[in-house]
Amino acid sequence: MTFEKSNAISREKLVKYFKSNLTMLPTVYTQTETNRMTLAFFCLGALSLLGELDSNVSADNKRDWIEWIYAQQVLPTGETPDANEAYCGFRGSSWSGRKFDPNATTCPFQHYDTSHIANTYTALLNLLLLGDDLSRVNRTAIVKTLRLLQQEDGSIAPTFGSLERDVRFIYCACSISFILNDWTGIDIDKTVEHIKRLQSYEHAIAQCPEQEAHGGSTFCGVAALALMDKLDKGITNKKELIEWCLLRQTESGGFQGRPNKLPDVCYGFWIGASLNILDSFNMIEHNKLKEFLIECQFKLGGFGKDPDSYPDLLHSYMGVAVLSLMEEPEVKPLNSALNVSMDAYNHLIQNSVYWKK
């Protein structure tokens, strides 16, 4: 596959790419309908980092997005016992067919209609990006659901009854707890001990105990520890962890997720943000990483995972996040641990109902 290459990042094309996808997703995304909340985050988050959110999403559209997000909130039933107590949070889209009601305070139990911890995380970020104060978020219900998702060994499930257990969901739970300024939904000590068990002989972090360390799970573990303010307690060997991360940068300038794997745009963020949290991002080869991003840039906008792939929303967002980590001109700063623009982070601290004094 041969693409027309540029010698610079095209900011204008990136903006058009995200604005277009925010307005209407291509047909191939139909299969990801249940995660539309997260796809929206990739668009809104990237536009925020590019400093183009306000100029490309009108005030009316922001209000519409906020109403749609709140309409995806799974709420308590209002009855005792509460059949929804283990399912509260945000679903990824309106797939369940419920009545559109962004101002609801309760909702009846419906089989298979459950929140997902990843979509709860991105829904909260979306609300912050759009300037909402989180006043309609049912913090009590979400925190109670988190408590029911955590397992005895400290791991966390994405939905109640799911057999999935890995560090991605620990990261989401920690991010949710931080955003809502309420840590009673997870046992911090158990969570830290579980992350310690995820650290392999390589001193990086695996998805599950006794598995191979991976760039994505390393970010999730490191960022979760940072959000809990437990980096010093939770990382077993910081020096070796940093070295493992630095060794993931390949001759192409891009980062690989594991040894002997091909470089991929997304690992520029997963590994780069981990290094940033560990105060070591300055040790990478910045120019070579930028050259790799330019190679992965598609002629119509967006980033593919590698130079021979078409763009997609995840890799395109991650590419912009990497540009932010590298402090590229006209790209705004990123809060690495929450994976959101500093504009949204500052809005959380200064204007959300759960943080402002």
Side-chain angles (χ1 to χ4, degrees):
M1 194 181 299
T2 302
F3 295 144
E4 176 186 322
K5 298 300 180 183
S6 169
N7 59 3
I9 298 293
S10 176
R11 190 174 181 280
E12 180 182 355
K13 290 180 179 179
L14 280 171
V15 172
K16 288 181 178 179
Y17 174 82
F18 289 111
K19 183 179 180 180
S20 173
N21 280 279
L22 187 63
T23 304
M24 182 175 290
L25 289 169
T27 303
V28 293
Y29 285 99
T30 302
Q31 62 186 318
T32 65
E33 166 63 19
T34 55
N35 290 312
R36 193 155 22 123
M37 189 73 71
T38 298
L39 299 178
F41 165 70
F42 293 144
C43 296
L44 295 171
L47 288 172
S48 179
L49 288 173
L50 292 167
E52 294 286 348
L53 185 57
D54 291 341
S55 57
N56 284 277
V57 183
S58 69
D60 285 343
N61 281 344
K62 284 184 179 181
R63 283 192 291 270
D64 289 343
W65 268 107
I66 289 170
E67 295 303 287
W68 180 81
I69 293 166
Y70 275 118
Q72 310 319 317
Q73 188 171 197
V74 180
L75 296 156
T77 62
E79 301 172 352
T80 303
D82 184 0
N84 279 349
E85 69 174 359
Y87 306 108
C88 293
F90 288 82
R91 65 177 79 83
S93 73
S94 53
W95 59 267
S96 67
R98 282 193 186 271
K99 177 183 176 182
F100 185 88
D101 187 356
N103 295 305
T105 56
T106 62
C107 67
F109 173 78
Q110 180 175 310
H111 286 289
Y112 308 114
D113 185 27
T114 177
S115 68
H116 189 286
I117 199 168
N119 286 311
T120 299
Y121 159 63
T122 54
L124 294 174
L125 291 186
N126 285 340
L127 289 171
L128 294 171
L129 287 161
L130 293 163
D132 186 71
D133 65 359
L134 308 184
S135 57
R136 283 180 277 172
V137 174
N138 190 324
R139 176 170 70 170
T140 300
I142 292 174
V143 167
K144 187 172 185 179
T145 292
L146 288 181
R147 202 173 299 129
L148 294 171
L149 294 179
Q150 186 160 33
Q151 310 301 304
E152 188 60 34
D153 66 353
S155 64
I156 293 175
T159 58
F160 188 73
S162 172
L163 297 179
E164 282 190 281
R165 309 277 191 275
D166 70 60
V167 71
R168 294 174 299 171
F169 311 129
I170 288 178
Y171 170 69
C172 290
C174 289
S175 296
I176 293 165
S177 299
F178 185 92
I179 292 168
L180 297 180
N181 200 17
D182 187 334
W183 289 91
T184 61
I186 65 173
D187 185 319
I188 289 178
D189 289 338
K190 280 186 178 180
T191 304
V192 172
E193 288 303 311
H194 186 76
I195 294 174
K196 288 171 73 173
R197 290 195 295 275
L198 298 178
Q199 289 166 67
S200 71
Y201 70 93
E202 300 168 286
H203 302 289
I205 299 173
Q207 285 192 319
C208 301
E210 300 181 8
Q211 291 188 356
E212 182 182 9
H214 186 275
S217 49
T218 293
F219 166 78
C220 289
V222 169
L225 290 170
L227 292 168
M228 292 185 288
D229 195 22
K230 297 293 183 181
L231 276 174
D232 290 340
K233 183 178 179 181
I235 292 177
T236 58
N237 191 321
K238 182 178 178 180
K239 178 179 178 295
E240 294 290 342
L241 170 58
I242 291 171
E243 182 176 348
W244 183 89
C245 289
L246 291 172
L247 288 172
R248 301 285 68 77
Q249 189 167 24
T250 67
E251 290 184 4
S252 69
F255 280 81
Q256 59 187 188
R258 293 173 287 164
N260 302 313
K261 296 293 183 179
L262 296 174
D264 183 321
V265 164
C266 69
Y267 295 114
F269 173 77
W270 301 128
I271 301 289
S274 299
L275 287 168
N276 197 44
I277 293 168
L278 298 169
D279 298 320
S280 301
F281 186 71
N282 62 314
M283 299 172 71
I284 74 162
E285 294 190 60
H286 289 241
N287 290 336
K288 291 189 69 174
L289 178 55
K290 186 175 180 180
E291 289 171 5
F292 178 74
L293 287 176
I294 291 172
E295 282 292 306
C296 297
Q297 180 179 229
F298 188 60
K299 63 182 179 181
L300 298 179
F303 295 101
K305 69 175 185 178
D306 56 41
D308 294 322
S309 297
Y310 286 106
D312 63 79
L313 285 174
L314 182 148
H315 289 91
S316 296
Y317 169 79
M318 294 300 178
V320 174
V322 173
L323 293 174
S324 176
L325 290 173
M326 293 194 294
E327 300 181 357
E328 284 293 304
E330 297 187 299
V331 182
K332 292 195 167 188
L334 175 83
N335 182 289
S336 296
L338 273 184
N339 184 18
V340 74
S341 67
M342 283 301 299
D343 285 349
Y345 173 81
N346 290 333
H347 176 74
L348 166 68
I349 304 303
Q350 297 166 12
N351 301 309
S352 70
V353 294
Y354 299 123
W355 276 90
K356 69 179 181 181
K357 297 179 180 178

